Amino acid sequence: MITSQKGTRDLLPPETRVWNRVEAVAREVFALYGFDEIRTPVFEATELFVRSVGEGTDIVHKEMYTFTDRGGRSVTLRPENTAGVARAFVEHRLAQAGGVHRLYYVGPQFRYERPQKGRYREFRQIGAEVLGDPTPLIDAEVIVMLFDFLGRLGFSALSVSLNSVGTEEERPAFIQALRAWVSSKEDLLDDDDRRRLEENPLRILDSKNPKLCEWLGDPSLPRMIDHLSKESLEHHEQLLRLLDAGRIPYRIEPRLVRGLDYYTRTVFEVTAQGLGAQDALLGGGRYDKLVSDLGGPKTPGIGFAIGEDRLVEVLPEAFRGAAIGSVRPVAVIPVGAPDAADALALASVLRRAGLAVDLASGHRGLGNSLKGAEKAGARFAVLVGENERLRGAVLVKEMATRTQSEVPREQLVEWLRPRL
Ligand code: HAM
């Protein structure tokens, strides 16, 4: 038997109904905020991710699905979608149109990670990016939109963790202070910490080494927020004021740096209980240099990506139930083989009127077809047989009460609709 690859999974019905509903709500809500969909390719030039996500990050260092294609190019299955959106923005010269671009995407991403609950090698993200607006108002609006979306799924007790990672100019002083602090803990560092310190010192704050982690909570740990310029601090504080006004619950998290290199100023994450060690439901932030680093005009950006697999995992039961419960309420069953064509035609009439119908093939006999309809959750079975046909009618059986009524065909839709 050939099975699916490690870290990938098949999403099967009825679970796919939940996924579809979640995505439909995302599309509805994002449209209310003026966002349009963008679809970028699943694979890109490897260099795109090296230059945007960053060479020293875990993603680029050890998690990319990279291969040489038959033409000798190095390509990579996208580990995230912000880089692709920024590349498309530059490639199609979207900046020339001016204004602010609000884009969202829904799709698979790939990271070669050790699979566990909430962590897959193929996973899906629902994300949004805004290009062309440097103000804290858009940071706040993006977060408000997120909470609007999560609220419509039924989440109520979430809060957003926030930090500012400053700009490229502001970071060296902080990194110097951080290096000095970490050097005083030299004997606690493992190989991974040493590599991080060497290649990308901010990553040390994401260390998984338990000995060092104990110390990372120490108040003596330098904070980026103390090294911000006046403008960056003002941006940060203005965002907090706007979130207060929008009644968004947040927590300042001085150690939040996020695992990607393109961030400037605002970074945020939302975590959820029930996801175990993989508790980040979503992450995002501002990236004011990414577009220009990729050869485009200076264009500020901000966005987020939600891990859809994790989101579905912790989805409130009411939303999940409603999404799964949307069954086809009417079964049309031919009584005998000669009634098949008539049953097919009648099912079409009902479907054209907007009713979802299960058409039973009838080959297992009437009794089994009725049982099948009941099991599938149908509320009414419409029996199509010769006797009724001669009278221009059908027999409708209500599954719950087992009552039967003969209904004239031309009145069937009107008869069923108020009862569903
Ligand atoms: P990220 O934090 O790398 O950010 O990923 C965002 C979310 O994707 C995570 O919070 C998590 O829920 C989900 N995720 C990541 N890896 C996995 C995995 N292996 N299995 C399941 N879910 C996973 C980004 O990707 C940025 N592009 C977000 C962003 C958009 N920043 C600005 N704009």
Side-chain angles (χ1 to χ4, degrees), residues 59 79-82 105 111 113 118-121 123 125 128-129 258 260 262-263 269 280-285 287 302-307 309-310:
I59 295 178
E80 61 102 40
N81 221 149
T82 309
Y105 47 83
R111 296 185 193 176
E113 294 192 83
R119 190 161 75 191
Y120 307 98
R121 289 183 173 172
F123 60 98
Q125 285 185 341
E129 313 289 349
R258 310 259 308 118
L260 304 99
Y262 47 62
Y263 291 116
E269 259 177 26
L281 194 57
L282 65 93
Y287 45 89
I302 178 161
F304 63 80
I306 305 168
D309 302 73
R310 296 185 190 175

Side-chain angles (χ1 to χ4, degrees), residues 27 30 34-40 102-107 127:
R27 289 172 196 281
F30 296 175
F35 282 71
D36 268 310
E37 184 172 6
I38 181 167
R39 301 188 190 198
T40 66
R102 296 165 179 247
L103 304 165
Y104 77 86
Y105 47 83
V106 178

Side-chain angles (χ1 to χ4, degrees), residues 178-217:
L178 189 62
R179 274 216 162 97
W181 184 90
V182 175
S183 310
S184 69
K185 311 277 176 291
E186 175 65 38
D187 46 328
L188 301 177
L189 305 187
D190 63 18
D191 287 349
D192 205 34
D193 293 332
R194 285 201 186 84
R195 181 183 63 80
R196 286 171 190 234
L197 196 59
E198 193 55 41
E199 291 177 4
N200 198 338
L202 284 187
R203 291 276 86 74
I204 203 92
L205 299 174
D206 279 339
S207 173
K208 311 249 163 23
N209 166 10
K211 280 198 234 150
L212 184 65
C213 279
E214 259 177 55
W215 275 98
L216 290 174

Side-chain angles (χ1 to χ4, degrees), residues 57-357:
T57 61
D58 279 355
I59 295 178
V60 171
H61 185 71
K62 53 187 185 193
E63 293 171 2
M64 294 209 301
Y65 276 91
T66 297
F67 59 99
T68 307
D69 74 5
R70 288 171 194 274
R73 303 169 199 89
S74 178
V75 297
T76 294
L77 301 186
R78 61 183 185 198
E80 61 102 40
N81 221 149
T82 309
V85 170
R87 188 225 10 95
F89 184 83
V90 175
E91 185 170 336
H92 302 288
R93 300 180 205 286
L94 297 186
Q96 276 182 3
V100 176
H101 299 257
R102 296 165 179 247
L103 304 165
Y104 77 86
Y105 47 83
V106 178
Q109 319 292 332
F110 305 86
R111 296 185 193 176
Y112 193 83
E113 294 192 83
R114 200 163 47 76
Q116 53 176 268
K117 184 174 184 229
R119 190 161 75 191
Y120 307 98
R121 289 183 173 172
E122 182 194 37
F123 60 98
R124 295 119 195 119
Q125 285 185 341
I126 299 176
E129 313 289 349
V130 181
L131 291 142
D133 190 332
T135 66
L137 177 56
I138 194 75
D139 301 22
E141 194 189 5
V142 160
I143 295 173
V144 166
M145 176 171 89
L146 252 174
F147 274 71
D148 191 351
F149 170 57
L150 294 170
R152 287 182 202 220
L153 302 183
F155 288 100
S156 54
L158 297 175
S159 89
V160 57
S161 304
L162 272 180
N163 193 18
S164 173
V165 293
T167 63
E168 259 186 352
E169 294 73 39
E170 295 154 21
R171 237 165 282 151
F174 171 61
I175 288 174
Q176 207 180 359
L178 189 62
R179 274 216 162 97
W181 184 90
V182 175
S183 310
S184 69
K185 311 277 176 291
E186 175 65 38
D187 46 328
L188 301 177
L189 305 187
D190 63 18
D191 287 349
D192 205 34
D193 293 332
R194 285 201 186 84
R195 181 183 63 80
R196 286 171 190 234
L197 196 59
E198 193 55 41
E199 291 177 4
N200 198 338
L202 284 187
R203 291 276 86 74
I204 203 92
L205 299 174
D206 279 339
S207 173
K208 311 249 163 23
N209 166 10
K211 280 198 234 150
L212 184 65
C213 279
E214 259 177 55
W215 275 98
L216 290 174
D218 195 80
S220 66
L221 181 80
R223 302 185 318 164
M224 184 65 224
I225 216 107
D226 299 323
H227 293 82
L228 294 180
S229 65
K230 197 164 145 274
E231 293 76 27
S232 288
L233 192 60
E234 177 54 29
H235 186 103
H236 182 63
E237 287 174 347
Q238 177 68 11
L239 171 59
L240 302 188
R241 284 194 287 276
L242 289 165
L243 292 180
D244 284 333
R247 295 174 191 277
I248 300 292
Y250 62 82
R251 229 170 351 153
I252 312 277
E253 184 55 73
R255 272 169 54 197
L256 182 67
V257 286
R258 310 259 308 118
L260 304 99
D261 277 357
Y262 47 62
Y263 291 116
T264 52
R265 294 189 168 165
T266 308
V267 289
F268 57 91
E269 259 177 26
V270 171
T271 55
Q273 293 193 337
L275 286 171
Q278 307 304 314
D279 63 354
L281 194 57
L282 65 93
R286 181 164 275 288
Y287 45 89
D288 291 344
K289 288 205 64 224
L290 179 58
V291 171
S292 54
D293 283 351
L294 294 175
K298 209 164 162 279
T299 309
I302 178 161
F304 63 80
I306 305 168
E308 197 179 356
D309 302 73
R310 296 185 190 175
L311 183 70
V312 168
E313 201 125 6
V314 293
L315 206 53
E317 209 36 60
F319 187 91
R320 172 186 296 278
I324 288 190
S326 54
V327 289
R328 289 168 297 281
V330 180
V332 172
I333 303 174
V335 173
D339 303 311
D342 194 18
L344 181 63
L346 193 73
S348 294
V349 170
L350 298 181
R351 287 169 178 153
R352 270 200 297 275
L355 303 181
V357 169

